[in-house]
Amino acid sequence: MTSPLFPHRHLLGIAGLQPHEISYLLDEAEQWVTLNRSLTKHDSRLRGLTQINAFFENSTRTLLSFEIAGKRLGADVVNMHAAQSSVKKGETLIDTAITLNAMKPDVIVIRHAGSGAVALIADKVDCPVLNAGDGRHEHPTQALLDALTIRRRKGHVQGLKVAICGDVLHSRVARSNILALTSLGAEVRVVAPATLLPDSLESLHVTPFTDMDDGIADCDVVMMLRLQTERMEGGFVPSLREYHMLYGLTYERLKRAKPDALVMHPGPMNRGVEIASDVADDVNRSVIAEQVEMGSRCAWPVLTC
Amino acid sequence: MTRKTAIINARIVGRAETALLIEGDRIAHLGDAPLPADAELIDAKGAMLAPALIDLGVFAVDKAACIAGGIARIALMPDQNPVLDEPGIVQRAALAAKPDLWVHPLAAATRGLKGQELAELALMQRAGAKAVSTGRGWIADSGVMAKLLIYAASLKLTVISHAEDGGLTAGAVATSGETATRNGLPAAPAMAEAMALARDLALVRDTGARLHVRQITTGAALDLIRQAKRAGLPVTCGVAPTHWLLTDIALSDFRTFTRLSPPLRSEADRQAVLAAIADGTIDVLTSSHDPRGPEAKRLPFVDAEPGAAGAETLLPLALGLVRDGVLSMDQLFEKLATNPARILGLDAGVLAEGAPADLVLFNPDTPWQIRRPDLKGLASNTPFDGLPVQGRVLQTIKGGQTLA
């Protein structure tokens, strides 16, 4: 990384990026649309370079996005899954980072369950580090791909009303999206059960809502979050059906938003919990598949700049 | 023949005299009377002389750090391996640092610090325990806490507690607020402290037991302490420099040296702590010394252990309170030595004829910079790395002996 237009060694989060830098990454990503949709789909920009995808937490779409983007750009891509690595044998994260560094990679893409873990590794290695999600902290490429999806559909982000709905407390996607979309000039609302709303949200320049109907009223974009059932052991919501009644996105509820409002979801979806299947599958409203396509697109500029 | 040492040309805290005579391990005389010819002379050259610090509630026996910090006595938290919950373990801990440092073990209130069954408090008292402590944690079961307070009161033992409601703080590593939200850190509301304290104060009112809360860090809880003192309850509390100097903003870059228990608070709470130091609501300043190596700290923030090294930096950071006009020099040493000694029932912490010759000689103005590689203790996990401070310990004297 580090081009004059993007003077950052690592991409650890949206925090710290200037609005024009976010726009620059989106513009770059836009260029890859044509290549990605063409027959050959290949470029040699990263030929001879080694990219390690170190995923300490499971992932399907983010890992595939980075792997495919790296390969289409000509890099030698290696995936490290924590489940089959020395992490299972008790190696500390720092030792793993030093080991990875000793392999002399040119870029490391990291996902980890601990907030701040990616920054910790970035401190210890000699190559650029891309954050593919750290705990509840940030998931910057998800925010970039969401912003790109919105921009392609709506033509701009500035001035749009965006509602981010669901388990905001545990969501790195929500944090990165709040930062990216407010930075690009959108009016962002956050809708969640009171038990899943983090403290001091006003300081992030968003408006919190606990009533979904009020929260999505008149919105241009309704962005649903996965209800992280694996993190629900503390009992933040009484039951999935109650959650669905209050916060599930149904056609009935979607009528509150603008008639052309986009429906987004970072995946994987809990159908029938946070989103009804017919809404998720409506090609006229849902851009969920397009978000995945933009995912590999957004991996490209961050790998190349 | 008893060894005699005379310290001359000193500015003695709280006294007009400039000389002090030590005979054996006691202060024999304060004042400028003719000194015995056979006394060894220490020329303080205008440096300050004060009672050595008594650090109420540290997590490790760290001789080098204590000597460098002017600390002659520590009250050792029971959270050791093994836990200080048996008379034999307490007795051994009391001998751990002889002859360089007094270790006053705090007896674990409950077996294994599990918060369920009372430990053998009287036997541990006989083995040398000066007070009882709930350790790093709060006793969740109010029935157990009530029995602990009644029983400890009957033994005239002070109970030293930790004020954080365990239900609210389970899994949390930060105080709820903007920083925790931005960084995506599991957080608990600051009122967890006042909630825990309110229950314990109600039990104190009912049982008459003496309670010392090792650290109080929020305005709401300090108000409760203030009211309790006004009502005449036997309650005292302490705080560490981290909580009068730092706020949760220090967590922004995920540096694990700022992972503390209780966690760092808001600016409003920091100001409340300063006000409570000034008005006497806070009785004790402690280092809360908790040296931790990389295996506990070089981890993602949520996985790191809480605690900061502080013994070597307590005095210089506390001297800042005098420079800032929060406390007078006399008041400072009440909180660093006299009050901790009183709470633990120790014959120490004052400069008086007949008192133990545990002294610290220091220059309050010497500027220096806290730098991790320069720290002498077991580990250098200080959140104050790089901070310029003033005040340097010249000599730590314990029982009349100057320690290296």
Side-chain angles (χ1 to χ4, degrees):
Chain A
M1 309 244 282
T2 65
S3 91
L5 292 167
F6 191 78
H8 301 277
R9 178 172 169 78
H10 306 294
L11 180 67
L12 301 180
I14 299 293
L17 298 188
Q18 300 294 325
H20 69 266
E21 293 169 345
I22 298 173
S23 297
Y24 167 73
L25 290 177
L26 298 183
D27 295 344
E28 287 289 300
E30 197 84 57
Q31 294 180 16
W32 296 102
V33 176
T34 338
L35 177 66
N36 216 28
R37 285 182 177 171
S38 70
L39 268 179
T40 51
K41 298 188 179 62
H42 281 281
D43 186 275
S44 55
R45 200 163 298 210
L46 296 185
R47 182 179 294 159
L49 300 182
T50 304
Q51 170 190 342
I52 298 183
N53 298 328
F55 277 58
F56 297 88
E57 195 185 62
N58 288 334
S59 159
T60 308
R61 60 209 75 212
T62 308
L63 177 59
L64 278 176
S65 291
F66 274 103
E67 182 171 1
I68 288 173
K71 284 182 169 162
R72 287 185 184 164
L73 289 163
D76 299 316
V77 182
V78 194
N79 293 333
M80 194 204 82
H81 300 277
Q84 59 205 34
S85 75
S86 50
V87 175
K88 281 273 174 206
K89 300 174 190 162
E91 187 174 63
T92 67
L93 185 59
I94 296 282
D95 289 334
T96 308
I98 290 167
T99 305
L100 292 178
N101 192 48
M103 313 277 181
K104 306 291 172 210
D106 299 288
V107 60
I108 306 181
V109 181
I110 301 167
R111 165 166 294 187
H112 193 280
S115 301
V118 176
L120 186 70
I121 296 178
D123 234 28
K124 304 289 173 199
V125 299
D126 303 316
C127 66
V129 166
L130 303 181
N131 182 0
D134 63 327
R136 310 174 181 184
H137 178 222
E138 282 233 44
H139 190 344
T141 54
Q142 179 73 41
L144 292 172
L145 77 88
D146 287 338
L148 183 63
T149 307
I150 295 171
R151 203 174 78 167
R152 283 172 60 86
R153 284 293 185 124
K154 296 284 181 190
H156 58 97
V157 176
Q158 172 98 34
L160 294 180
K161 286 196 178 78
V162 182
I164 301 177
C165 312
D167 180 2
V168 179
L169 181 65
H170 297 107
S171 175
R172 54 191 170 222
V173 174
R175 282 177 181 72
S176 287
N177 262 307
I178 287 170
L179 294 170
L181 294 173
T182 52
S183 178
L184 294 172
E187 177 193 326
V188 179
R189 304 155 168 206
V190 159
V191 183
T195 48
L196 291 171
L197 267 180
D199 197 79
S200 306
L201 274 173
E202 318 71 45
S203 60
L204 300 181
H205 312 290
V206 300
T207 319
F209 286 86
T210 51
D211 185 305
M212 180 95 169
D213 291 333
D214 294 346
I216 66 173
D218 206 29
C219 276
D220 300 282
V221 177
V222 179
M223 185 183 286
M224 301 305 297
L225 298 171
R226 174 182 166 76
L227 181 68
Q228 310 220 351
T229 43
E230 67 270 25
R231 285 177 176 155
M232 285 298 115
E233 73 271 24
F236 290 88
V237 289
S239 73
L240 295 182
R241 64 179 187 177
E242 184 161 316
Y243 182 82
H244 182 70
M245 180 188 79
L246 292 175
Y247 298 97
L249 187 63
T250 57
Y251 266 120
E252 197 48 41
R253 192 158 267 150
L254 188 55
K255 286 181 190 155
R256 310 273 303 183
K258 286 203 178 131
D260 61 345
L262 297 180
V263 173
M264 305 179 76
H265 193 298
M269 285 183 280
N270 297 304
R271 288 170 180 267
V273 181
E274 69 262 10
I275 190 163
S277 276
D278 49 358
V279 177
D281 297 334
D282 182 344
V283 288
N284 295 316
R285 304 299 293 274
S286 159
V287 290
I288 295 169
E290 195 173 324
Q291 284 175 273
V292 179
E293 189 196 344
M294 294 308 138
S296 69
R297 209 66 41 69
C298 282
W300 296 31
V302 300
L303 284 168
T304 53
C305 40
Chain B
M1 196 178 100
T2 11
R3 188 187 141 112
K4 291 176 186 160
T5 311
I7 302 174
I8 57 166
N9 299 324
R11 283 184 285 157
I12 301 180
V13 171
R15 309 287 294 221
E17 298 91 342
T18 60
L20 178 148
L21 179 67
I22 301 167
E23 278 187 24
D25 60 1
R26 299 262 156 186
I27 299 172
H29 182 67
L30 265 160
D32 309 316
L35 297 165
D38 56 348
E40 188 186 320
L41 269 190
I42 296 176
D43 186 348
K45 296 177 183 158
M48 291 201 103
L49 187 66
L53 278 52
I54 300 175
D55 202 349
L56 179 44
V58 303
F59 292 90
V61 178
D62 190 344
K63 281 198 276 189
C66 288
I67 293 168
I71 298 165
R73 293 170 188 261
I74 58 169
L76 182 66
M77 292 294 282
D79 314 70
Q80 306 294 317
N81 187 12
V83 171
L84 307 185
D85 65 352
E86 294 252 1
I89 302 170
V90 166
Q91 196 164 23
R92 199 177 55 189
L95 302 174
K98 284 207 167 200
D100 299 327
L101 178 68
W102 282 104
V103 177
H104 300 295
L106 300 175
T110 55
R111 283 180 206 276
L113 288 173
K114 290 187 172 34
Q116 289 156 0
E117 305 160 59
L118 292 186
E120 294 168 320
L121 304 186
L123 287 176
M124 288 192 280
Q125 184 180 28
R126 196 159 296 177
K130 296 293 182 195
V132 177
S133 163
T134 64
R136 289 181 194 278
W138 184 68
I139 293 183
D141 186 322
S142 305
V144 173
M145 188 64 180
K147 289 185 196 80
L148 169 67
L149 286 168
I150 297 168
Y151 193 72
S154 72
L155 298 171
K156 299 193 169 37
L157 280 170
T158 300
V159 172
I160 298 177
S161 74
H162 178 89
E164 274 190 296
D165 184 289
L168 283 170
T169 57
V173 298
T175 307
S176 301
E178 181 180 347
T179 304
T181 293
R182 282 185 186 273
N183 283 17
L185 294 173
M191 56 115 172
E193 185 172 272
M195 276 184 62
L197 180 66
R199 182 203 69 178
D200 290 350
L201 289 176
L203 291 171
V204 166
R205 198 169 292 126
D206 214 41
T207 60
R210 279 192 315 222
L211 181 74
H212 173 75
V213 193
R214 197 172 60 84
Q215 287 219 69
I216 291 286
T217 57
T218 62
L222 287 164
D223 284 342
L224 292 179
I225 295 271
R226 210 169 268 130
Q227 287 165 21
K229 286 187 167 186
R230 213 172 288 146
L233 295 187
V235 176
T236 51
C237 69
V239 76
T242 42
H243 288 80
W244 81 69
L245 288 167
L246 302 175
T247 67
D248 62 351
I249 291 174
L251 275 64
S252 298
D253 62 356
F254 294 104
R255 191 155 173 75
T256 57
F257 291 177
T258 62
R259 162 107 168 81
L260 304 171
S261 170
L264 290 172
R265 308 297 192 183
S266 67
E267 175 63 15
D269 282 328
R270 187 183 79 89
Q271 293 295 343
V273 166
L274 281 172
I277 291 173
D279 73 9
T281 304
I282 290 176
D283 307 88
V284 171
L285 305 179
T286 170
S287 73
S288 197
H289 189 59
D290 198 356
R292 298 280 196 162
E295 60 287 348
K297 285 293 188 183
R298 241 168 44 167
L299 295 168
F301 197 90
V302 281
D303 299 330
E305 303 281 345
E312 297 175 68
T313 49
L314 174 59
L315 181 58
L317 295 173
L319 284 167
L321 295 169
V322 177
R323 261 191 307 281
D324 294 346
V326 179
L327 293 176
S328 69
M329 194 64 88
D330 296 9
Q331 289 170 324
L332 178 67
F333 279 90
E334 279 168 20
K335 294 189 198 303
L336 289 171
T338 317
N339 293 344
R342 183 169 47 77
I343 291 163
L344 293 168
L346 300 174
D347 163 31
V350 287
L351 287 185
E353 284 163 20
D358 295 345
L359 306 166
V360 58
L361 192 62
F362 65 100
N363 187 327
D365 301 316
T366 309
W368 60 289
Q369 190 181 23
I370 297 172
R371 290 184 56 232
R372 289 186 56 214
D374 299 341
L375 296 180
K376 298 183 178 68
L378 297 171
S380 58
N381 51 314
T382 172
F384 298 112
D385 190 25
L387 187 76
V389 289
Q390 273 179 277
R392 205 123 221 195
V393 172
L394 302 171
Q395 280 189 33
T396 305
I397 297 167
K398 172 184 170 273
Q401 302 281 335
T402 295
L403 304 173

